[in-house]
Amino acid sequence: MSTPKANSLFYKLFSLLSVIRGYNILVLVAAQYLAAIFIFSEKKSLKLVIFDSHLFYLVLATICIVASGYIINNFYDVKADRINRPIKTGLDSYVKQETKLSLYFLLNFIGFCFGWLVSWRAAFFFAFYIFTIWFYSHKLKKHPLIGLVTATILTILPFFSIFIHFKNFSKVIFIHAFFLFLVIMVREIIKDLENIKGAIANNYNTFPVKYGERNAKKTIILLLILTLIPVAILFNYPAITYMKYYFYLASFILIFVGFYTFKASQKNQYRLLHNILKLLLLIGVFSLLFIDKTLILDKVVNVLD
């Protein structure tokens, strides 16, 4: 029979995982390693990438800093989240605000140290990342356009350190990044539409609050149309091979998102769209495995040799 103390510890641990969004961090780690293996380091063997200590430190630094970012965002958004996410807020409350802040500073320090183990440049990058996350949570997210762009950049930024580490500056990477940037920005606007009541109640001047729900929807449609540009360009790269089926799927889903966005008016409808885009991005992470079958075979063969 479990004791009250054991139950309390379980709830606190579960609450902490909710605050730092453990699922998102696991997906981010998988995305970083898959991108490192199949996009950023085409000429390196699987063994060299997996056992690259500097890559490992960069991923650990990212885990710590992204987790701390979720904590500080949770700290500043507690009033809005009571309206937007009452169940999650109740779960998150098992961990005291003082504990969250202490953990925030500890994780940032550990993340900075892991960056320092790579180089002073990596440490500076992560220091900048820490500051930008805090500044976004404290100030920028209350401003419609700057907050929207910053949130999108902060989502992509963890891959920048991996990208610089491997020094792979191929065009296909920038095109893929542009596609992700547009999809993530669409997701951010939909998330703002989903949370518009909490934003209004707490004087958050988010994109839909500032420009209106209709204009926010028009912006989503424009961004979705723009996604067709990188998709069309990527189809001309033979190396994407089976990943082209992901872009077929993505095109179909994004067209659906566009039509359903204009129909949507309720929180649950926006939540559905938000979750669909999250799923699309998750599928995109694992579709990296199919980017070039010869590349996968070469890497496996190099491990066996």
Side-chain angles (χ1 to χ4, degrees), residues 12 30 60 68 71 75 83 87 89-90 92 94 99 125 135 144 168 207 212 232 243-244 259 264-265 277 279 282 288:
K12 286 180 180 179
L60 287 177
S68 72
I71 290 171
F75 180 83
I83 299 171
I87 297 175
T89 303
D92 294 351
Y94 279 96
T99 305
F125 168 80
F135 195 54
N168 186 338
F207 196 87
M243 197 180 179
K244 66 184 179 182
F259 280 108
S265 59
L277 290 177
L279 181 61
L282 177 63
L288 293 173

Side-chain angles (χ1 to χ4, degrees), residues 167-187:
K167 299 180 175 65
N168 186 338
F169 303 104
S170 65
K171 290 181 182 178
V172 68
I173 291 174
F174 288 102
I175 296 166
H176 204 121
F178 182 54
F179 171 78
L180 288 175
F181 182 86
L182 294 170
V183 173
I184 291 169
M185 186 172 282
V186 169
R187 190 194 68 177

Side-chain angles (χ1 to χ4, degrees), residues 236-284:
N236 292 322
Y237 280 85
I240 70 166
T241 59
Y242 292 115
M243 197 180 179
K244 66 184 179 182
Y245 295 110
Y246 166 73
F247 288 111
Y248 284 134
L249 174 66
S251 299
F252 174 77
I253 289 176
L254 294 175
I255 289 169
F256 168 78
V257 168
F259 280 108
Y260 196 75
T261 295
F262 260 104
K263 179 184 175 183
S265 59
Q266 302 296 321
K267 182 180 176 69
N268 288 339
Q269 292 173 313
Y270 291 127
R271 184 185 291 123
L272 173 64
L273 289 170
H274 181 198
N275 289 333
I276 287 172
L277 290 177
K278 283 179 70 175
L279 181 61
L280 177 64
L281 291 169
L282 177 63
I283 295 170

Side-chain angles (χ1 to χ4, degrees), residues 16 33 43 64 107 141 200 277 301:
L16 184 60
Y33 266 104
K43 297 180 181 178
C64 292
L107 286 171
K141 75 180 305 178
I200 293 171
L277 290 177
V301 168

Side-chain angles (χ1 to χ4, degrees), residues 112-131:
F112 176 81
C113 290
F114 278 127
W116 189 265
L117 289 174
V118 177
S119 70
W120 69 266
R121 293 180 182 83
F124 177 79
F125 168 80
F126 285 113
F128 171 77
Y129 192 31
I130 291 166
F131 171 77

